Amino acid sequence: MEIEDWSNSSGGMSDSESCFEEIKDEELFYAPDMSKARWIQEMGMAEVIERKGQMMTTMGITRCGKIYCSIEETLFLAEVGALVLVDDKDESLPLKYIYEKVAGGKNGCSWDTFEVYRHLKTLGYIVGRHGIPWSLKSIKSCTVSQECTPDNGEPVQNECEEESVIEVMENLQIKELRPLFDVYLPNRKFRKSSPGNPCFLICLTGGHPPSRAAVEDLEKLCKGIPLRFGHVEHGRVSFFTFNKVELPVLP
């Protein structure tokens, strides 16, 4: 196997990244079209209660007319000033609150996971959690019982679907070698109801290169979709792939 360098780290600036700069706490700004979300502890996600701007078009999963953001999406949006997180009393929560949740390694996201997510988003990619559909409409095998059935014209929360999302989030093991994100090329016509196949999938190395057997097993799960590995060291994000190399048989 040969390791192929795929991208520069986030610690430096390549030609394709020259228009992006690292976001610092003191440089945060709040846009006039800032969305508002409330953290749902049971789901490990934030429910968007006021949507503004266009960023939610490619972020968050849609369930019965509501948008739910993962912890990495919530933090990214808060960092760029596109979302404010509030508590049950509708009081805004500080950025430190979200940082602590990510640092705690719960909700299927560690700090390294967020670093990889933020790096990809900063480059302009559309990034979603692997294994969690953007919407029910994107599932071809979706049954009638999974659909919203409003009685008075208003969206009704599907308890079974909410429970399924909770179960997925709770079963995520951060240290487990598995695909973390579905990554799509920038696309203004992107639709959650029909996202298509991702451009590639991202796995996190966890600090050590995976074994050949592990890579081959993951590639089988990817069903032909390219697999990339993300590696984070001292805040620097790098991506690489494994290629098979056939060596000639020596006489």
Side-chain angles (χ1 to χ4, degrees):
M1 288 189 179
E2 179 181 349
I3 299 178
E4 178 184 354
D5 186 20
W6 182 69
S7 173
N8 289 339
S9 69
S10 62
M13 289 279 185
S14 67
D15 292 339
S16 61
E17 300 171 68
S18 59
C19 59
F20 301 104
E21 295 181 359
E22 183 179 359
I23 300 172
K24 300 180 180 179
D25 290 350
E26 61 269 23
E27 295 173 351
L28 292 177
F29 64 93
Y30 295 94
D33 55 351
M34 185 169 51
S35 299
K36 181 186 292 186
R38 180 175 291 113
W39 184 254
I40 308 297
Q41 187 63 37
E42 294 77 12
M43 295 185 67
M45 305 184 79
E47 177 187 345
V48 178
I49 54 181
E50 289 184 17
R51 174 184 172 179
K52 296 182 180 180
Q54 299 298 318
M55 298 193 73
M56 292 299 174
T57 304
T58 58
M59 298 182 70
I61 61 173
T62 302
R63 295 295 186 272
C64 300
K66 296 182 179 180
I67 298 177
Y68 297 92
C69 291
S70 64
I71 185 65
E72 64 269 16
E73 291 174 319
T74 302
L75 179 52
F76 178 80
L77 288 169
E79 281 192 336
V80 299
L83 180 140
V84 59
L85 192 66
V86 299
D87 58 18
D88 293 335
K89 297 180 181 179
D90 208 34
E91 296 180 355
S92 60
L93 296 168
L95 196 57
K96 180 182 178 181
Y97 175 86
I98 313 177
Y99 281 136
E100 290 175 348
K101 283 193 170 296
V102 173
K106 297 181 179 180
N107 308 306
C109 180
S110 65
W111 186 255
D112 284 353
T113 305
F114 174 70
E115 291 270 24
V116 170
Y117 175 84
R118 178 170 58 184
H119 186 69
L120 291 167
K121 289 295 295 182
T122 301
L123 292 176
Y125 288 102
I126 298 171
V127 187
R129 281 279 184 100
H130 179 74
I132 302 181
W134 291 94
S135 71
L136 293 182
K137 292 182 180 180
S138 64
I139 307 175
K140 294 182 180 180
S141 60
C142 180
T143 62
V144 176
S145 62
Q146 290 176 309
E147 297 291 341
C148 303
T149 56
D151 296 327
N152 56 359
E154 295 295 327
V156 178
Q157 177 67 37
N158 188 310
E159 294 182 0
C160 293
E161 177 56 30
E162 180 176 326
E163 291 175 359
S164 69
V165 174
I166 295 174
E167 183 178 356
V168 171
M169 298 296 289
E170 289 180 346
N171 290 336
L172 291 178
Q173 300 295 322
I174 295 176
K175 295 182 179 180
E176 179 184 357
L177 185 62
R178 57 179 176 79
L180 289 175
F181 298 120
D182 296 339
V183 185
Y184 302 79
L185 293 175
N187 181 5
R188 293 182 179 180
K189 297 181 179 180
F190 179 84
R191 297 176 61 188
K192 294 179 182 178
S193 59
S194 56
N197 290 329
C199 179
F200 56 88
L201 306 181
I202 284 287
C203 285
L204 197 63
T205 60
H208 302 282
S211 65
R212 175 176 178 176
V215 173
E216 291 177 346
D217 289 342
L218 283 171
E219 289 177 341
K220 292 178 182 179
L221 293 176
C222 294
K223 298 179 180 180
I225 300 175
L227 179 64
R228 304 286 187 263
F229 289 88
H231 178 71
V232 182
E233 185 174 3
H234 304 300
R236 296 171 61 89
V237 180
S238 300
F239 299 92
F240 59 90
T241 60
F242 287 93
N243 290 333
K244 292 182 180 180
V245 177
E246 296 292 337
L247 296 178
V249 178
L250 300 178

